[in-house]
Amino acid sequence: MTEPRQRSFPWYVVAAVVFAVGMAGTTLPTPLYGLYREEIGFSQFLITVIFAVYAVGVIVALLLAGNFSDVLGRRPIIFTALVLSVLSALCFLFEDGLPLLFVGRVFSGFAAGLLSGAATAAVTELARPDERARAAFAATAANMGGLGCGPLLAGVLAEYAPHPLRLPFLVHIGMLAVAMVLVAALPESVHRPVPRPPLRPEGMVVPPRTRSVFVPAGLASFAGFSVLGLFTAVAPSFAAQYLGVDNLAVAGAIVLTVFLASTAGQLMGRTGPGRALPLGCAILIAGCVLIGTSLLAESLGVLIAGAAVAGIGQGMSFRASVAGVARAAPDEQRGATISALFVAAYVGISLPVVGIGALSVPLGLRSAGLIFVGCVIVVASAVTVHLVRRSSVTEPRTDTVGR
């Protein structure tokens, strides 16, 4: 009964919706940090630390449980991630100081870590062979779309509805309840081994035959996600401090811009990983130049333009990275290998952001941002040069064989 249903119904779309709902909760607090800062009283550096705690939670979950969905199945892991998302929202609902904020972000990180590998694999596996390209886009678009909608949802509710620090999380809990019902209806896409092997954390799983694809994909993901970290942790503070943007809905929309652009970039990245990855990195570099210019000129328009261009580049390179790694990984290690790619991405979303927070204390937020932009340009440039060189080496070889 499962196979005909799976073939006749686009279950990968349902899985992508669940993925997006879960990821939205991870960025829900982004436009609210200023309100927490007024209520509790803490520095810009502490905002980046709170954000990084989330990323540490993601990395821990990926390292300890990144392969669990290969053994237990995708559905149990996705459902567990949604439960953790509910616990995170409850921490924010009953927050009375920094401790519950940190605990809530840790739960959120665990949820995102479990979702990143399991849901990405589930969306891909639930698609028919002729739907695989669309499913790969659906998986990465659900990830980026969910991350982008979180700040907008929280910003609009906080700005125009009552109880700004409570209502966004109540609404998200309702969305998570619906997502749990959808998970119960999903077919399982993994044939669980019998007898079941013991659950052992595998850490960073990068099979030898995947490494030549994984290394540039991991570095590109690191660079792209570090830009996403800049917008989700720092951009609202910069907009308020230097651009006079105190409307929370506008702050959420600025963050949404980079994630919508990322989704658009994933749509554009249909030329195959070999071309889309270096092209995406090149576009990411151009976006970083615009972001740096906006920091110097204190221009909201240039900042939004930089977010759009960098988001397109990040989306193209990220889709190419996920598609390339998923294609190169063996079936029995696909979930764990994709999780390893997300480890690289979330190291990028955490460490550089904490660096910005630390540098902002002696240098100010603008100078710290400029240093950050320069570092991203260096990493993305190195990946681009490596891929172009590798392409120039392999192409003549192909021509020679053809003759």
Side-chain angles (χ1 to χ4, degrees), residues 43-49 230 234 241-242 295 350-376:
S43 65
Q44 175 62 42
F45 173 67
L46 201 51
I47 291 178
T48 60
V49 172
L230 172 73
V234 177
Q241 185 174 339
Y242 292 98
L295 297 178
S350 58
L351 288 183
V353 168
V354 173
I356 293 175
L359 287 174
S360 68
V361 176
L363 301 178
L365 196 56
R366 175 165 41 197
S367 298
L370 289 170
I371 293 172
F372 162 85
V373 166
C375 292
V376 173

Side-chain angles (χ1 to χ4, degrees), residues 129-344:
D130 62 316
E131 296 173 329
R132 289 291 165 85
R134 279 176 287 174
F137 167 71
T140 50
N143 193 345
M144 295 298 107
L147 290 169
C149 288
L152 182 65
L153 173 64
V156 169
L157 292 175
E159 185 68 31
Y160 301 112
H163 310 295
L165 295 180
R166 302 287 183 268
L167 187 59
F169 300 99
L170 285 171
V171 170
H172 190 243
I173 288 174
M175 295 168 65
L176 289 168
V178 174
M180 289 177 180
V181 174
L182 295 178
V183 172
L186 282 177
E188 179 54 68
S189 60
V190 169
H191 297 289
R192 287 168 286 212
V194 178
R196 193 198 75 184
L199 291 176
R200 290 195 182 101
E202 293 187 7
M204 290 279 289
V205 175
V206 183
R209 78 183 196 192
T210 312
R211 287 172 189 167
S212 63
V213 175
F214 184 89
V215 171
L219 287 173
S221 299
F222 176 94
F225 269 67
S226 66
V227 174
L228 300 184
L230 172 73
F231 278 89
T232 49
V234 177
S237 297
F238 177 82
Q241 185 174 339
Y242 292 98
L243 306 178
V245 177
D246 55 4
N247 184 298
L248 297 178
V250 173
I254 293 172
V255 179
L256 175 65
T257 299
V258 71
F259 288 106
L260 284 182
S262 173
T263 305
Q266 291 162 38
L267 266 177
M268 297 174 188
R270 293 183 174 180
T271 56
R275 293 181 180 179
L277 190 52
L279 179 59
C281 287
I283 296 173
L284 178 66
I285 292 167
C288 286
V289 171
L290 286 172
I291 293 169
T293 302
S294 74
L295 297 178
L296 290 171
E298 297 185 10
S299 169
L300 178 60
V302 178
L303 177 64
I304 293 174
V309 175
I312 289 172
Q314 186 276 335
M316 289 184 68
S317 62
F318 182 59
R319 180 183 180 182
S321 298
V322 172
V325 169
R327 187 179 303 133
D331 292 344
E332 68 276 8
Q333 293 180 303
R334 183 171 293 116
T337 308
I338 292 173
S339 294
L341 180 66
F342 278 97
V343 169

